[in-house]
Each structure stands twice: as C-alpha cells, then as structure tokens.
Amino acid sequence: MRSWSAPAIPALPGESVPLRLYDTAAGKVRQSDPGPTARMYVCGITPYDATHLGHANTYLAFDMVGRVWRDAGHEVHYTQNATDVDDPLLERAEQTGVRWQDLAEREIELFRTDMEALRIVPPREYVGVTEVVGRVAELIARLAAKGVTYDLDGDVYFSVADAPKFGQVSGYSEELMVELFAERGGDPDRPGKRHPLDWLLWRAERPGEPSWESALGRGRPGWHIECTAIALDNLGPGYDVAGGGTDLIFPHHECGASEGHAATGEWPFAKFYTHAGMVALDGEKMSKSKGNLVFVSKLRGRHDPMAIRLVLLAHHYREDWEYVPDQLAAAEARLATWRSAAGLATAPEAGPLLAEVRERLADDLDTPGALAAVDAWAERALSEGGADPAAAPLVRDLTDALLGVAL
Ligand code: 5CA
Ligand code: ZN
C-alpha cells in the first residue's frame, strides 16, 4: 500500500550516541547493535476506528528509535502492517452497514494523515494483510511441512508443544498466558485443541466472511502469522526491533517469535522486543472496543500537531499514563516558549544542548529528560540572552531531527 510522505530531517553536526533500549525479552535495557541498515518492524493498526492518542504514543516511540539510529548514521529499514482483515474490523463494518474494505481504506487514510501531521517518519513498506494473503499461506505451509501445526475442522493451529522458546518473550506464567490469550483474541476453550494456548494460523472460509484461495484451501490468515510473514519477507530474520504497545507482548509477539523460530531456525527472531506503555482515559486503557478515545484527528483540528507531539514526548515511552486536557495546554505553552527562544537572532551556545539531548535519547529514549534540557536552554535564552548567532538555527535543527518537533 501507499505509505505516507516523509518529513525532511536536518543533518546535525558532531557525534551521536549509540542507542540503549529496553528489551522485554531480556527484561532490561541493552545496547542496540544494528548494522549499517537498522531493521525495524512495528505492528500497525487494525483500521476500524480513527487513530487515538494511544496509537500515536506507540508510533511516536518507534519514530524516536528511528531518529536516534539515523542520527548515528544508520539507514533505517522500517516495515509496518495494517491488519485490514480481522474479526473486529468485520464486526464494526457489519454493525455500521459499510463494506469492510471501505471502512479499512477510510481509516487507513485518516491514519496516514495523522502520522504526517505528527511528523512520524513513514515505513519503507506499509503492507495491508489483504495484499499478502498468498505469502502468509505459503509461510503456514512451510510451518506445516516442519510438523509444528495441526488441522482442526479445516482450520490450522500452531502446536505450542512444538514451540521450545515459547514464553521467552513475555516471561509470563502459564496462568497469566491463558488469561491474556482469552482476552486478546485467542480461543483457549475451543474443543478439539491439543493445548489451550495453541494458536490459529489459518481460518477456513465461513459463510459471509471474506476468504482467499490458497494452498491451504479457501480462508484467511490468523492474526499473529501476518506480522511474522510480513517481517520475514521485508526484513528477514534476526531484525533489530519488533515493536508495539505492551498489549502486544502476549500473545502477539510471543506467538510471532515462535513462528519465526520454527520457520527459520533463528533465535531470537527479532533482537529486541520493545513495547510502549498504555495511554488511558478516565482510568481505563484507551481502546476501540471500550470507546474511551481521544482521536488525533479531532485534536489536530484545534491544536498544533507539534503540541500533540509534545504531550506524548513528555512521557517516557514505557510509562502507562492517563491523558488529561491540561497536558495539551502545558505542551502548547512549552511550544510557544521554544519558538520564542528559537526565533532569537543571538542566543546561548547550543552545542552542549545537542550533546545532552543525544545523551538523553540514547538512554532508552528519555524524552522527558530531552525536553527538560531544551526547556532549560530556552529559559536561559529568553531571560539572559546570549551572543551566538548560530544557536537558534541549531536548536531548530536538533528539535526537528531528534524530537520531530518543527519550530
Ligand atoms: N493490528 C494489531 C497489531 S498487528 C493491533 O494491535 N492494532 S491496534 O489498532 O489495536 O493497535 C495498534 C498499535 O497501537 C499496537 O501497537 C497497540 O499496542 C497500540 N495501542 C493500542 N491501544 C493503545 C493504548 N491505549 N495506548 C498505547 N498504545 C496502544
Ligand atoms: Zn502485529
């Protein structure tokens, strides 16, 4: 599918700092070690409702990963999917009387516009699952040939007993796994399954549901396998970062990692499994199914998208936090201060600020620390002035390149 247009990224002088990032599988912050081309896959939206602040928070976190890598001189090969056929999308289309294809297309287009407004660098490949059903089916056939799948009334399941690394991404207990599996699209109680945690790879055609012809017969892919197939086809195994929100740790990334392992023999399938915290509203996780949503598209009708970006950057990406409108007012005030300071003809030297922002971001994307550093420079510039005519242009370049905030 078409991706969205890329913002310009100014080049910065001086030395970058290599990124240290939290890896959920390791349970700690580790040094990232990409080759000349850093490879990242981030799970995309299920397009049945507009982009909310929670989604934006997740895509922003990985936008920051890409920005720090680019600053360090890496090419960034970034791939993202869109789950453009899945149960919740079909249900919403049915309820609202629109074709599921039209619903998906409309929401994906709105998502692109939201991402552009927030200056999120687009993926190189933006792949709708409906575009690659044949490739997903081929991967399932490969897994079947390895003997890790079984058939249940025409549906195909991955047998968790044949997943020796299962549990190593999340580190969750079996009890918690079964609970989350049921909550997040799994079917632990389906009669005939060998193990409650066996997961669906291929769903045979059902009356009234979309389906595709494939080597497995007519049907459609299960959820987790789509991301494994798209990551494998575009990035190859052993890619640097698999990303999403913490609600994707289990079962989605756990199952995907075992699929990738079974298909390629490589472990880990991704070097880092990295997850952004959940954004809540009124005490509950923002979610399409609950409907407690703050849409990016609504906010940007009344507010500068750069202020929306600053609301998100004010929280560390791994934090769970609750949105309240005061945060937007605070971000607008911050943006106005930064713009005033960055408009000065002369200001305090900005080289040390660049070094500090780089250091903060390299430390597991400490965006609150980076924002505090820019605040301190801006306050000094506005209260004490300074003599350096190159300072304000450098600050505009560094907030743009490293934070994605155009002043
Ligand atoms: N299509 C699948 C991934 S393959 C999916 O989870 N789609 S989604 O639309 O439900 O979510 C898209 C991304 O936003 C996921 O990475 C998810 O973890 C993240 N996300 C969803 N809700 C929130 C929230 N309230 N706060 C932060 N991130 C969220
Ligand atoms: Zn995914």
Side-chain angles (χ1 to χ4, degrees):
M1 291 188 309
R2 195 168 57 76
S3 192
W4 55 91
S5 52
I9 304 177
L12 296 172
E15 285 282 299
S16 65
V17 184
L19 176 64
R20 302 183 298 283
L21 192 65
Y22 188 84
D23 174 20
T24 300
K28 62 178 185 200
V29 173
R30 296 197 288 117
Q31 185 76 55
S32 77
D33 183 25
T37 299
R39 295 171 295 158
M40 174 161 70
Y41 183 91
V42 179
C43 285
I45 56 165
T46 304
Y48 68 92
D49 216 336
T51 322
H52 59 64
L53 272 184
H55 300 135
N57 190 59
T58 290
Y59 298 112
L60 178 72
F62 296 96
D63 187 54
M64 296 303 294
V65 171
R67 283 173 187 273
V68 174
W69 276 340
R70 274 184 207 94
D71 183 47
H74 299 282
E75 279 273 330
V76 178
H77 186 170
Y78 174 24
T79 303
Q80 185 179 135
N81 70 311
T83 308
D84 61 356
V85 59
D86 199 10
D87 296 344
L89 173 75
L90 300 175
E91 283 159 21
R92 179 65 62 90
E94 171 95 35
Q95 283 159 14
T96 51
V98 292
R99 289 172 70 234
W100 62 271
Q101 297 94 328
D102 295 339
L103 177 60
E105 201 179 305
R106 186 178 80 206
E107 298 306 342
I108 288 170
E109 184 51 28
L110 188 57
F111 175 73
R112 289 188 185 104
T113 323
D114 289 335
M115 293 295 102
E116 271 173 19
L118 293 174
R119 295 178 77 80
I120 305 256
V121 179
R124 192 186 292 179
E125 296 92 14
Y126 186 36
V127 184
V129 176
T130 57
E131 297 177 296
V132 293
V133 172
R135 292 294 295 163
V136 180
E138 283 169 35
L139 178 61
I140 298 170
R142 246 167 95 187
L143 293 174
K146 294 192 186 267
V148 298
T149 70
Y150 63 91
D151 179 285
L152 182 57
D153 300 333
D155 296 340
V156 181
Y157 278 84
F158 196 111
S159 166
V160 73
D162 294 309
K165 305 289 189 186
F166 196 82
Q168 291 198 16
V169 171
S170 66
Y172 293 165
S173 68
E174 180 149 339
E175 194 188 355
L176 180 58
M177 287 187 195
V178 173
E179 185 188 320
L180 293 174
F181 192 72
E183 272 174 28
R184 297 173 178 168
D187 54 358
D189 302 324
R190 178 168 176 186
K193 281 175 66 174
R194 294 180 189 166
H195 189 286
L197 291 175
D198 293 344
W199 66 93
L200 184 73
L201 295 170
W202 183 258
R203 180 174 161 88
E205 182 179 28
R206 307 283 199 278
E209 287 188 9
S211 62
W212 288 259
E213 196 54 63
S214 81
L216 309 161
R218 281 200 78 83
R220 63 181 162 103
W223 175 26
H224 317 305
I225 194 72
E226 72 187 52
C227 289
T228 309
I230 295 169
L232 206 48
D233 271 354
N234 292 285
L235 301 172
Y239 60 95
D240 293 286
V241 168
T246 49
D247 58 343
L248 298 188
I249 296 173
F250 191 90
H252 189 54
H253 287 168
E254 191 75 76
C255 295
S258 282
E259 290 165 351
H261 180 224
T264 66
E266 277 211 41
W267 187 264
F269 184 54
K271 290 186 195 151
F272 281 72
Y273 284 88
T274 298
H275 298 97
M278 289 292 113
V279 182
L281 182 71
D282 302 330
E284 280 206 86
K285 173 195 159 188
M286 234 177 245
S287 79
K288 289 178 280 209
S289 51
K290 288 194 199 106
N292 58 336
L293 306 174
V294 177
F295 293 123
V296 172
S297 45
K298 280 230 174 102
L299 286 182
R300 64 183 168 82
R302 280 172 287 126
H303 302 275
D304 189 322
M306 293 298 95
I308 304 171
R309 192 164 168 121
L310 282 173
V311 167
L312 305 173
L313 289 170
H315 300 272
H316 187 263
Y317 78 97
R318 286 199 281 128
E319 188 190 324
D320 292 327
W321 53 280
E322 178 155 348
Y323 174 71
V324 288
D326 286 358
Q327 292 163 351
L328 195 46
E332 283 176 323
R334 172 177 260 152
L335 185 61
T337 303
W338 288 16
R339 283 192 170 140
S340 301
L344 294 169
T346 61
E349 201 203 338
L353 172 63
L354 173 58
E356 166 108 31
V357 170
R358 278 179 164 146
E359 186 48 60
R360 288 299 83 236
L361 296 182
D363 180 9
D364 194 29
L365 307 176
D366 175 11
T367 56
L371 265 50
V374 180
D375 286 344
W377 176 86
E379 276 153 29
R380 235 182 89 214
L382 292 170
S383 62
E384 297 169 23
D388 185 356
L394 178 57
V395 169
R396 289 199 298 271
D397 281 353
L398 80 88
T399 60
D400 191 351
L402 295 176
L403 300 171
V405 177
L407 295 179

